[in-house]
Amino acid sequence: MRKSLLGLALFAPLVCSAAGNVSVQPNTVLRLPVKGDSLSLDRISVGAEGALLIPSQVKVLKIGELDLAKNARLGVFPGGDTLQIEVRHGNLADGSVIAAQGSSGSFEKPASAGRNLVLRLQDVQVANLLIDVRGGVGAPGYDGLDGGSAQTSGCLWGSGRPAGDGQNGADGRSGAAGGVVRLEVPEQFDVKRVKVRLEGGAGGAGGKPGKAGPRSSEKGCWFYSVAGEGPGSEGKGGVEGPKGGEGRLEVQRF
């Protein structure tokens, strides 16, 4: 889901009034423009199939009224700090999502964990809600280098050289852990309407084995021939990295 959101080429202009109202049109992705780490808004409205992206530096988001239409979502960028979202009133339609998965690893950086969330829902009607804090997929292992080619010895001088062995692929890196979600809801709230995904990220794929160096061909000399040198051995593929640890859900009623 995160890739599909971030992969959209165009971001429509944000509709944000001085009174603190943010409106996202249907089938539109917007990024919330903030400078600090705390934000208080009177109302957020996201149309059907739309999404509002919350930058990683935000730690506290207070919302007077939150309306998510069918299949609308709040997308949370990965970050090391816990994000607290407090909603006083609202309506979350069928297919509502709060997505805060970790990012996948790469050769330059490891995978990141799912974002830790504290979600406080006061007077909020929920048809169903998915909270996704899965960990990022681990970085892949490096591929092994191919072995060098064999070299046949000369007719009068020069020794031959056997082919080199392919290097082993490196093991994949660990997947990142799932996040921790604390759901704060009234006593009468039906928690079964909320589904939380806490899985750790899959381990990174192992690197491919290096290919064996090829043998050299036979060399013909004046009165005899020189046999070619044999091929090398193929390396071994790397092992998939371990899966990240499971996250945790805490439910607190008030």
Side-chain angles (χ1 to χ4, degrees):
M1 191 287 301
R2 181 176 62 255
K3 290 182 178 179
S4 65
L5 287 180
L6 299 182
L8 292 179
L10 297 178
F11 288 79
L14 182 70
V15 179
C16 184
S17 70
N21 296 330
V22 174
S23 178
V24 182
Q25 298 302 311
N27 301 298
T28 302
V29 178
L30 303 177
R31 176 171 175 156
L32 192 63
V34 292
K35 294 183 179 180
D37 59 7
S38 180
L39 186 62
S40 181
L41 295 170
D42 293 335
R43 186 172 186 270
I44 291 179
S45 175
V46 183
E49 306 288 344
L52 179 65
L53 305 183
I54 302 172
S56 59
Q57 71 265 29
V58 177
K59 300 178 184 178
V60 178
L61 178 59
K62 295 183 178 181
I63 306 169
E65 182 177 355
L66 175 63
D67 289 318
L68 297 182
K70 184 177 178 63
N71 296 328
R73 62 194 67 206
L74 298 180
V76 181
F77 281 88
D81 296 310
T82 298
L83 171 61
Q84 301 180 39
I85 302 177
E86 179 179 339
V87 184
R88 292 194 295 273
H89 306 282
N91 181 53
L92 309 186
D94 179 51
S96 296
V97 177
I98 297 177
Q101 306 103 307
S103 59
S104 297
S106 66
F107 294 125
E108 290 75 29
K109 60 179 182 180
S112 66
R115 189 81 180 264
N116 293 338
L117 298 178
V118 176
L119 179 62
R120 184 178 181 89
L121 304 177
Q122 296 187 25
D123 180 21
V124 181
Q125 304 302 313
V126 178
N128 60 70
L129 171 65
L130 171 64
I131 302 174
D132 192 346
V133 292
R134 288 174 291 172
V137 177
Y142 288 98
D143 294 340
L145 298 177
D146 296 340
S149 300
Q151 180 177 321
T152 305
S153 60
C155 293
L156 299 178
W157 60 80
S159 59
R161 182 183 64 199
D165 296 335
Q167 289 185 340
N168 295 334
D171 293 342
R173 304 292 296 275
S174 299
V180 176
V181 176
R182 190 171 80 207
L183 181 62
E184 301 178 355
V185 292
E187 283 289 346
Q188 68 276 14
F189 185 86
D190 186 3
V191 178
K192 293 181 180 179
R193 295 181 181 272
V194 180
K195 179 181 179 181
V196 183
R197 299 202 62 175
L198 303 165
E199 304 98 296
K208 297 178 181 179
K211 296 179 180 179
R215 65 175 299 142
S216 60
S217 58
E218 182 181 274
K219 179 182 291 186
C221 298
W222 289 338
F223 303 109
Y224 61 93
S225 61
V226 178
E229 298 288 344
S233 300
E234 183 177 70
K236 296 180 180 179
V239 178
E240 181 179 297
K243 183 179 179 179
E246 188 87 359
R248 187 174 73 254
L249 171 63
E250 304 170 357
V251 179
Q252 179 178 330
R253 295 186 179 273
F254 56 85

